[in-house]
Amino acid sequence: MTSSRLARFPRQRVAPLAAAVRRAFPLIALPLASLAVNAYADGSPTAAGAATGTSTNTSTASGTAAAAKEGALPTIAVNASATALPGDLSPAYAGGQVATGAQVGVLGKQKIIDLPFSMTSYTSRLIEDQQAHTLADVVANDPAVRSAYGFGNFSENYIIRGFEVDANDVALNGLYGVTPRQLVDTGALERVDIFKGANAFENGAAPGGTGIGGNINLETKTADDKPLTRVTVEGSASGQLGTHIDVGRRFGDNDQFGIRVNQTVEGGSTSIQDEDRSTQQTALSLDYRGSKLRLYGDFIYQKQHVTDGRPVVYDTSSIIPPLPSASYNYGQSWSYSDMEDTIGMVRAEYDFAPNWTVYASGGVRHTDEHGDYASPTYGPDGATTSYRMGVPYKEDAQSAEVGVRGQLWTGPVSHAINLAALVNRIQADAAYDLGSSFSTSLYNTVQVPRPATYFTSGDFAAPGIVSSTLMRSVALSDTLGFFDNRFLFTVGVRHQNILENGYAYGTGVQDSSYNESATTPVFGAVYKILPNLSVYANRSESLTEGGTAPSDALNAGAVLAPYRAKQIEAGIKYDATNYGAALAVYEIKQPVAYTDATTMIYATDGTQRHRGVELSAYGEPIKGLRVLGGVSYIDAQLQNTDGGTYNGNRPIGVPAWTFNANLEYDLPQVPGVTLMARAIYTGKQYLDEANTLPLASWTRFDLGARYKTQVFRHDTTLRLMVTNVANRAYWSSALGGYLTEGAPRTAWFSVSTDF
């Protein structure tokens, strides 16, 4: 973790409360789960209506149209819910890997075929069957998404349509800022929604300033209509062991109360030499489902520990470093990272009138991080050096949203109205120290003693404030439906204010300030050629904080307006119930600022332009055969660069081609046995803007199998998943201007039993 990345986020003084919750949380959650199990040992839920996931105020479009013609205000089909209920989750395609709908920010729950945007929602079933442990394992299934390590640490960052999504800019149940920082365990996740494209209207600008080409929203597990008690024991060939307990119950006269508890404990040696990782996550979800009122509470405690983690590699030479072996570790044994997150969220929605719902949600997160980091720098003639950086880091975030959704008619035209206000506040306290530089190697790494501190900034015992961010926005949209909603036209606008203050390490004296506003519109259209075939188009924007002129510019200290990336997109979607497919073409233009070498004025003069085509397919086109994958092509260029030096070159870390193919096949000869094979391809990318340092393309092959049976009358599933079967060594990403090496061959096995 470097100092430039430390000073990005703010903190409120809630650490004492977070510490109390952290200590008490596992003691509260597991007894509650036990009580729920005992209460339902001899019973079963009876909420048949909830199981259908059908709203009580829903009517057909044809009935609505008929009522409108008679001059009466009809009963309109509305889903104004702020979050998806467990029984109201969008159904998955056959095979259960991808859902037919998702949560789309301020637009709420939507069927994907009705959206004028590109989106994919991955399910908890895919997570379980692939034994996906972190978010990167899940998004590896998407041809438009890749992942890499963060800057100088072990966090996961993601790349959507060639643009970075920082791990801290992933949303949780629709809110930014409350997701576990840097690494997300998958034990509590019900859905992973990936929105592809500019998204400032739908979700607001991400606090970390990324998400230009898309964003990721995580939906947590809540109690389903069917009782669940599932125990999973797993292990890896390298020595990791873990358990996962998932308990869910509904109770009350109409099953209106729900509880879901997920507990994950995992640790041991990874497939990278000498690297150890451990994870602990406890997640508690409580909910109430009334006829008009719905309430939710989510509480998550997560702790991650990495010892002797393999770091990223910086390169100041004129060549790409030769690859070490796939499992070789060029890190130092004293390097480590401790990351601890305590999260609480509450959500509520109330149907105050037919077809109209008001909703509110709020969440807080406290993060406590400590670590010693050392990433090698590969220099001229192969000389490699590194240095130690120690970090205590604390971050507190609050996020809240309030809004109203509903539907009305004006003559034959339907209107789906959305109005929402959103606020995010994040504050960071940090300090750091530096140890002296030392020589090292990527191929014959000598373990050196932990370098002594030669420079310290800030108080390690009580880190001081280094940054604070406040983001506020208001959004309004109307989706107009014509011809019995066969043609849908969405128009919306979000006005957003970004306020960020920076403070000097150690002294806490404010040394920078940013306070700017911007308005981002959106236009989208969907036309259903057939009920299961639609074409769409959109014009949308993304928003990030503008730059501040550096000290060597003539306009030093000048603050630029927020950068507005503009996108146009068109596509076609097909939904055949058992399977689906989508094709999208798009162009995204992201402004780039620099100090002109001639005028010495810092301004937004450059452009990073991405033109792309995406094709994806998912579901079960043939009984027993499931497909998941697709292909993405991006023509990415730098334009209007300083002096034209890099005009026409590709941006750093953006491959032209990415390809995924995932096949599952149920063996008819052996009922219950499923075989899986996956190929992931990433084309050539560059480590520098001059395009003189190319990373070779790479292909990874994964294999898996599972067997579903009964053991002592209990449903039991045995799973095996092997990634990078060939144990190929490859530089997986150049995102950020540094190298991330792909993981070596890793074999996981597990046994899950439902009681």
Side-chain angles (χ1 to χ4, degrees):
M1 173 75 72
T2 67
S3 58
S4 63
R5 296 292 285 226
L6 282 172
R8 294 182 60 179
F9 298 95
R11 180 178 185 232
Q12 295 295 327
R13 306 292 180 177
V14 296
L17 176 60
V21 172
R22 185 167 62 247
R23 290 191 297 268
F25 192 46
L27 302 178
I28 296 172
L30 293 180
L32 282 173
S34 178
L35 287 173
V37 172
N38 293 334
Y40 271 77
D42 299 318
S44 61
T46 59
T52 65
T54 304
S55 175
T56 57
N57 60 359
T58 300
S59 67
T60 64
S62 59
T64 299
K69 291 177 181 178
E70 296 175 19
L73 183 63
T75 301
I76 308 299
V78 176
N79 195 325
S81 192
T83 54
L85 299 173
D88 196 33
L89 283 170
S90 299
Y93 290 99
Q97 298 175 322
V98 174
T100 59
Q103 290 295 120
V104 193
V106 70
L107 297 177
K109 178 185 174 185
Q110 298 283 335
K111 291 183 65 176
I112 289 176
I113 196 171
D114 293 338
L115 274 176
F117 311 104
S118 181
M119 195 164 189
T120 307
S121 180
Y122 297 99
T123 69
S124 58
R125 178 169 171 180
L126 175 139
I127 293 172
E128 293 172 0
D129 285 344
Q130 294 187 357
Q131 300 179 75
H133 292 82
T134 68
L135 185 54
D137 296 332
V138 182
V139 303
N141 292 281
D142 200 293
V145 185
R146 290 296 183 261
S147 63
Y149 274 1
F151 188 77
N153 57 31
F154 310 117
S155 67
E156 293 178 347
N157 285 1
Y158 316 98
I159 309 105
I160 303 178
R161 290 187 170 176
F163 292 98
E164 177 185 7
V165 179
D166 191 272
N168 304 322
D169 283 342
V170 173
L172 183 67
N173 291 324
L175 294 180
Y176 284 128
V178 292
T179 306
R181 210 177 104 82
Q182 297 198 4
L183 288 170
V184 181
D185 187 87
T186 59
L189 302 185
E190 183 64 48
R191 296 280 165 88
V192 174
D193 302 329
I194 301 178
F195 187 104
K196 302 164 193 174
N199 56 89
F201 167 75
E202 292 80 8
N203 302 279
T210 63
I212 300 301
N215 75 354
I216 301 173
N217 177 59
L218 311 177
E219 297 184 54
T220 52
K221 294 177 179 177
T222 50
D224 207 341
D225 302 303
K226 181 180 178 181
L228 174 68
T229 305
R230 178 170 297 158
V231 177
T232 300
V233 179
E234 61 181 355
S236 72
S238 59
Q240 291 174 282
L241 295 174
T243 60
H244 179 206
I245 300 173
D246 187 356
V247 179
R249 292 293 187 276
R250 302 209 68 84
F251 53 95
D253 295 339
N254 296 302
D255 286 342
Q256 64 268 41
F257 299 101
I259 180 173
R260 185 81 174 261
V261 177
N262 279 266
Q263 175 73 55
T264 301
V265 178
E266 178 186 299
S269 300
T270 74
S271 53
I272 296 173
Q273 176 185 341
D274 298 325
E275 179 181 276
D276 286 325
R277 292 186 179 235
S278 63
T279 299
Q280 176 187 343
Q281 186 189 77
T282 302
L284 169 65
S285 172
L286 304 172
D287 73 89
Y288 168 79
R289 305 193 318 205
S291 59
K292 292 186 176 182
L293 176 66
R294 294 168 293 279
L295 302 172
Y296 311 87
D298 290 286
F299 308 94
I300 299 174
Y301 171 71
Q302 178 179 291
K303 186 174 183 179
Q304 302 263 0
H305 178 76
V306 181
T307 301
D308 196 3
R310 183 166 69 184
V312 300
V313 175
Y314 302 100
D315 185 7
T316 59
S317 73
S318 58
I319 63 170
I320 296 294
L323 275 158
S325 66
S327 60
Y328 189 73
N329 190 348
Y330 29 82
Q332 293 292 318
S333 59
W334 41 260
S335 68
Y336 77 98
S337 181
D338 281 330
M339 297 161 286
E340 191 172 23
D341 295 282
T342 305
I343 297 162
M345 294 187 70
V346 291
R347 295 169 283 156
E349 53 188 48
Y350 180 71
D351 302 331
F352 65 92
N355 310 315
W356 287 89
T357 297
V358 62
Y359 63 91
S361 61
V364 296
R365 169 178 57 85
H366 174 70
T367 292
D368 197 346
E369 177 188 341
H370 297 269
D372 265 342
Y373 304 94
S375 296
T377 297
Y378 185 83
D381 300 321
T384 305
T385 60
S386 187
Y387 67 94
R388 180 188 64 81
M389 181 174 183
V391 175
Y393 182 90
K394 299 180 185 295
E395 185 171 279
D396 283 284
Q398 301 87 38
S399 184
E401 183 180 31
V402 61
V404 62
R405 297 192 186 104
Q407 199 167 55
L408 53 84
W409 281 75
T410 56
V413 180
S414 67
H415 299 265
I417 308 296
N418 296 276
L419 173 64
L422 177 67
V423 61
N424 304 108
R425 184 190 297 271
I426 310 176
Q427 184 174 310
D429 292 359
Y432 69 94
D433 68 2
L434 300 176
S436 57
S437 176
F438 57 91
S439 297
T440 185
S441 170
L442 300 181
Y443 318 101
N444 186 24
T445 307
V446 175
Q447 296 298 311
V448 303
R450 180 180 182 272
T453 299
Y454 75 86
F455 176 81
T456 300
S457 184
D459 186 349
F460 269 51
I465 183 172
V466 293
S467 68
S468 65
T469 300
L470 175 64
M471 308 187 80
R472 295 166 293 187
S473 66
V474 178
L476 173 65
S477 72
D478 183 7
T479 298
L480 294 82
F482 302 88
F483 315 120
D484 289 342
N485 289 334
R486 189 170 181 177
F487 176 68
L488 301 171
F489 180 73
T490 297
V491 58
V493 64
R494 183 184 290 269
H495 180 75
Q496 180 141 334
N497 173 255
I498 304 173
L499 173 62
E500 181 164 347
N501 294 322
Y503 304 86
Y505 277 80
T507 66
V509 175
Q510 184 174 337
D511 57 9
S512 65
S513 179
Y514 184 92
N515 189 354
E516 294 287 336
S517 299
T519 299
T520 51
V522 66
F523 303 95
V526 177
Y527 179 71
K528 287 192 171 182
I529 302 173
L530 298 170
N532 62 351
L533 180 66
S534 66
V535 292
Y536 73 92
N538 70 66
R539 193 276 187 192
S540 55
E541 297 183 0
S542 284
L543 187 69
T544 60
E545 177 184 331
T548 300
S551 59
D552 59 349
L554 289 180
N555 58 338
V559 174
L560 302 185
Y563 302 147
R564 295 165 50 164
K566 299 178 181 180
Q567 171 185 280
I568 55 173
E569 178 182 358
I572 185 169
K573 301 176 185 178
Y574 180 64
D575 184 343
T577 305
N578 287 336
Y579 62 94
L583 173 68
V585 294
Y586 64 87
E587 178 182 86
I588 302 175
K589 289 186 176 181
Q590 162 71 352
V592 177
Y594 58 85
T595 301
D596 188 277
T598 302
T599 66
M600 295 305 295
I601 299 294
Y602 181 78
T604 308
D605 292 328
T607 302
Q608 183 171 329
R609 189 214 68 194
H610 292 199
R611 288 178 177 169
V613 181
E614 295 167 355
L615 174 65
S616 58
Y618 30 79
E620 193 173 50
I622 301 174
K623 182 66 175 177
L625 177 66
R626 287 171 288 282
V627 299
L628 176 61
V631 61
S632 171
Y633 171 74
I634 303 176
D635 175 18
Q637 286 188 7
L638 298 172
Q639 300 176 338
N640 303 319
T641 60
D642 186 13
T645 304
Y646 301 129
N647 285 359
N649 288 4
R650 293 191 67 83
I652 292 173
V654 183
W657 290 95
T658 52
F659 171 80
N660 285 47
N662 188 324
L663 298 177
E664 285 193 355
Y665 180 62
D666 298 333
L667 281 180
Q669 300 87 351
V670 187
V673 172
T674 299
L675 303 179
M676 188 273 273
R678 179 172 65 184
I680 301 175
Y681 169 82
T682 298
K684 182 174 68 174
Q685 52 187 304
Y686 290 97
L687 185 62
D688 63 332
E689 290 182 330
N691 289 180
T692 60
L693 298 174
L695 270 65
S697 62
W698 56 269
T699 304
R700 191 184 93 189
F701 295 101
D702 307 330
L703 294 175
R706 63 180 180 270
Y707 176 50
K708 294 185 176 182
T709 185
Q710 283 203 335
V711 177
F712 300 113
R713 298 185 179 180
H714 294 290
D715 291 338
T716 300
T717 303
L718 290 82
R719 298 181 177 91
L720 172 66
M721 184 74 179
V722 184
T723 56
N724 194 4
V725 172
N727 201 32
R728 177 179 176 178
Y730 58 96
W731 297 119
S732 64
S733 176
L735 178 71
Y738 51 86
L739 299 169
T740 300
E741 186 171 2
R745 179 170 52 235
T746 304
W748 278 97
F749 59 89
S750 69
V751 179
S752 296
T753 302
D754 291 355
F755 293 95

